Amino acid sequence: MAKRIRYEDRNSEPLMPPQERVKTFREYAFGYSVSLALDEAQRCLFCKDADQRCIKGCPIGVDVPGFIKKITEGDLIGAYKKIVEADPFPSICGRICPQERQCEGSCILYYDTVRGKKNKGLPVSIGALEKFVGDFVRISGMRVNIERGEPTGYRVAVVGAGPAGLACAYDLARLGHEVHVYEALPKAGGVMAYGIPHARLPRDLIEWELKKLRDLGVRFFFGHVVGKTIKLSDLLRDYHAVFLGVGAGRGGLGIEGDHLRGVYSAIEVLTRVGLLRADTFPQSGTPIDLGKRTVIIGGGFTAVDCAITALRLGIETHVVYRRTRETSSARQEEWDHISEEGAIIHWLTQPLRILGSEEGKVIGIECIKMALGEPDESGRPKPTPIEGSEHVIECDSVIFAIGQKANPVAYEDLPELELTKYGTVKVDENFRTSVRGLFAGGDVVNGGDTVVRALAEGRKAAQSIHKFIIEEVKP
Ligand SMILES: Cc1cc2nc3c(=O)[nH]c(=O)nc-3n(C[C@H](O)[C@H](O)[C@H](O)COP(=O)(O)OP(=O)(O)OC[C@H]3O[C@@H](n4cnc5c(N)ncnc54)[C@H](O)[C@@H]3O)c2cc1C
Ligand code: SF4
């Protein structure tokens, strides 16, 4: 009998009600039960051309129908093994990948080509299934062995313990190389550890994923700001190869009033709360003062995460973004979540200047409404100001969640390192930089994208590093 195609009956993940979740940093998406996961897995059609659909849509190439098939067979360890062939951190990617633009956005049920209607069906919930499988293995305490190759005698330094550096370290260690990771902060994970709020990505889960690397013998050196406490050129001398995965964590606003008291960068707010637990001040020793009303500028993941954080601190939260919801880079469902929690979102609104009191403290932000015009170089309609629509939003603080840039401190001592016109590190298709033995990947190369892209680039760079040291370097 032909399989019934279930276009619309996608299973949603159960969510904590908005009025409860706004009071806690606990994760608010509860994840599938076994029965929901089995039911959702049954929706997959196991398309023969999945390599042109969901697999192609996944930046790291997870065998989507392969792992979903294992779920339908009740073989969750098998499903886990299938995922980690491509993606080392299933419970992280299952939670935070923008799947609607990736695997799910390429799912045949979404395109609904069978019925000839585009974008009418609801895709298989691939992300929630990946999270389910990752959580099952983690919570059940089952061990999945990760094999390590024979020691090669080669040593590689990885700079930055974000997803790019971690994925690179993971693969190099599996290939038998000795890997040392140098990280400026006291914890590994990069943006996953200090940026994304606990409510979206619980920290114990990152720690669990990191154990895989420790079991493989990867050593971490925290509190090492490469470029300050140790030079990149020293690492290049002391190791057979170096991978640079320092991300793009420096931000800037560049509008009038951005020096005022009460203006924060998103990273400062998120790090204070996410890493230093300012939400539990004075127990934590780290305060944060956003006043009673805050305005967040931006329309990406970072803006949404600042809103999640501010709402949980009990602050009236506004988000201003110069484009529309559809053209924003944050996940659509997350706009719904923060709106349900009470965030006020001002679409098509461009900040003009921040207003301050005589004492130099933020009192408001002047904005102008925008209209969509012709497409710009990114292909998105260009927002243009509507004359006479200037207005002020009164507030006590402003958080800028835009203008992410690479921080060059790690490679300032290498003038021969070629950069792009955007200030990112230039690499070839094998993630080799212009400096022999130095490879790079993740946000420092792509200027700021996604966790899964950083993981994919870290993995590809590991293969290039392996090839380089085996073929070009003596142990
Ligand atoms: C707030 C926020 C929310 C996001 N949400 C999502 C999301 O939901 N889903 C998604 O897919 N993507 C999200 N992103 C994007 C994603 O987090 C990044 O694309 C990804 O983390 C990039 O990985 P990376 O390893 O290149 O860099 P990072 O994660 O930035 O890690 C770089 C690491 O290098 C360290 N470092 C920097 N300089 C030095 C130095 N000189 N010496 C030693 N160490 C150094 C840093 O401390 C950091 O730990 C978000 C980004 C932000 C800022
Ligand atoms: S495209 Fe959708 S239905 Fe087809 S194999 Fe992938 S997840 Fe399953």
Side-chain angles (χ1 to χ4, degrees):
M1 197 172 74
K3 182 169 172 165
R4 181 170 72 88
I5 300 175
R6 295 166 53 195
Y7 290 101
E8 274 96 22
D9 49 355
R10 169 172 153 128
N11 292 287
S12 305
E13 262 190 90
L15 295 178
M16 196 186 289
Q19 63 278 16
E20 278 180 39
R21 66 177 185 248
V22 78
K23 293 186 211 140
T24 172
F25 277 91
R26 273 189 54 205
E27 187 176 19
Y28 55 82
F30 290 130
Y32 279 158
S33 62
V34 174
S35 51
L36 277 182
L38 287 176
D39 189 65
E40 186 61 24
Q42 297 292 347
R43 293 183 65 227
C44 180
L45 303 180
F46 308 109
C47 305
K48 289 208 168 53
D49 59 350
D51 56 343
Q52 292 306 310
R53 299 186 185 278
C54 51
I55 300 177
K56 192 173 179 194
C58 170
I60 207 161
V62 168
D63 176 359
V64 175
F67 94 80
I68 296 181
K69 185 88 197 156
K70 295 278 179 197
I71 300 178
T72 62
E73 292 163 357
D75 177 5
L76 298 183
I77 296 289
Y80 187 84
K81 285 186 179 159
K82 268 270 168 243
I83 301 172
V84 294
E85 279 169 15
D87 176 354
F89 306 136
S91 23
I92 294 179
C93 289
R95 280 173 167 81
I96 60 165
C97 281
Q99 287 103 4
E100 68 276 15
R101 298 204 298 269
Q102 300 170 338
C103 53
E104 293 181 13
S106 313
C107 173
I108 191 168
L109 296 192
Y110 180 56
Y111 279 101
D112 199 2
T113 43
V114 180
R115 293 193 301 183
K117 294 185 210 158
K118 257 197 164 183
N119 303 349
K120 283 286 189 270
L122 294 174
V124 174
S125 201
I126 303 167
L129 288 173
E130 186 177 3
K131 169 177 165 180
F132 167 76
V133 171
D135 283 358
F136 173 81
V137 172
R138 180 174 58 88
I139 297 166
S140 66
M142 288 195 181
R143 302 263 314 156
V144 177
N145 275 342
I146 304 163
E147 278 173 30
R148 183 173 187 192
E150 285 298 308
T152 59
Y154 289 104
R155 302 169 77 238
V156 183
V158 169
V159 183
L166 294 175
C168 186
Y170 174 80
D171 275 359
L172 288 169
R174 287 199 307 158
L175 289 163
H177 305 305
E178 186 179 338
V179 186
H180 293 173
V181 181
Y182 291 85
E183 166 57 50
L185 292 173
K187 280 203 166 134
V191 172
M192 303 187 298
Y194 71 78
I196 301 178
H198 298 226
R200 280 211 297 131
L201 186 62
R203 295 303 185 263
D204 51 349
L205 190 153
I206 302 177
E207 285 305 315
W208 187 85
E209 297 284 21
L210 286 171
K211 193 167 174 306
K212 286 181 194 163
L213 278 87
R214 294 203 171 94
D215 289 349
L216 284 167
V218 173
R219 288 183 61 195
F220 289 90
F221 298 89
F222 294 114
H224 283 272
V225 182
V226 172
K228 295 252 186 248
T229 50
I230 183 166
K231 297 268 181 248
L232 195 52
S233 46
D234 295 336
L235 295 178
L236 281 163
R237 185 195 58 217
D238 296 344
Y239 290 86
H240 294 107
V242 176
F243 175 76
L244 191 64
V246 290
R250 197 163 79 169
L253 187 57
I255 64 169
E256 190 184 328
D258 64 2
H259 63 285
L260 290 164
R261 237 179 327 124
V263 178
Y264 294 87
S265 77
I267 294 302
E268 182 181 353
V269 172
L270 294 170
T271 307
R272 276 174 178 259
V273 179
L275 196 68
L276 306 172
R277 297 312 305 258
D279 54 312
T280 60
F281 181 78
Q283 291 96 309
S284 67
T286 303
I288 183 132
D289 179 12
L290 299 174
K292 288 199 170 66
R293 186 186 288 171
T294 194
V295 171
I296 297 158
I297 305 172
F301 294 122
T302 315
V304 168
D305 283 346
C306 289
I308 291 175
T309 303
L311 287 161
R312 278 155 186 71
L313 295 172
I315 295 159
E316 184 182 313
T317 301
H318 294 249
V319 181
V320 299
Y321 182 50
R322 67 195 194 104
R323 294 179 184 268
T324 58
R325 174 182 163 126
E326 295 68 36
T327 50
S328 74
S329 58
R331 303 185 66 176
Q332 297 300 310
E333 64 179 26
E334 276 159 8
W335 290 120
D336 291 338
H337 294 164
I338 60 167
S339 303
E340 286 165 6
E341 291 172 14
I344 301 152
I345 304 168
H346 306 255
W347 302 112
L348 287 168
T349 303
Q350 166 90 47
L352 294 175
R353 62 192 177 111
I354 304 170
L355 310 170
S357 64
E358 279 178 8
E359 296 77 43
K361 174 94 187 64
V362 171
I363 53 167
I365 181 162
E366 187 182 352
C367 301
I368 188 163
K369 292 301 285 179
M370 309 293 276
L372 290 182
E374 294 299 308
D376 62 14
E377 64 281 1
S378 72
R380 298 184 294 179
K382 191 171 173 203
T384 45
I386 302 175
E387 227 175 283
S389 67
E390 293 85 351
H391 58 283
V392 171
I393 305 172
E394 286 176 17
C395 59
D396 309 303
S397 58
V398 171
I399 305 171
F400 55 93
I402 49 172
Q404 236 181 307
K405 278 203 202 99
N407 185 344
V409 66
Y411 43 86
E412 266 167 354
D413 70 318
L414 284 185
E416 66 274 35
L417 180 67
E418 274 183 46
L419 304 180
T420 67
K421 62 178 180 184
Y422 306 106
T424 51
V425 171
K426 197 170 177 181
V427 292
D428 66 12
E429 64 283 5
N430 298 314
F431 296 91
R432 285 171 97 127
T433 70
S434 55
V435 175
R436 188 173 185 273
L438 181 65
F439 296 73
D443 282 5
V444 72
V445 164
N446 63 45
D449 199 78
T450 53
V451 165
V452 68
R453 180 161 170 203
L455 291 172
E457 292 184 4
R459 293 203 66 186
K460 284 183 195 148
Q463 293 308 322
S464 291
I465 292 172
H466 179 64
K467 192 166 180 297
F468 164 74
I469 47 188
I470 297 292
E471 291 177 3
E472 297 182 38
V473 182
K474 289 201 175 66

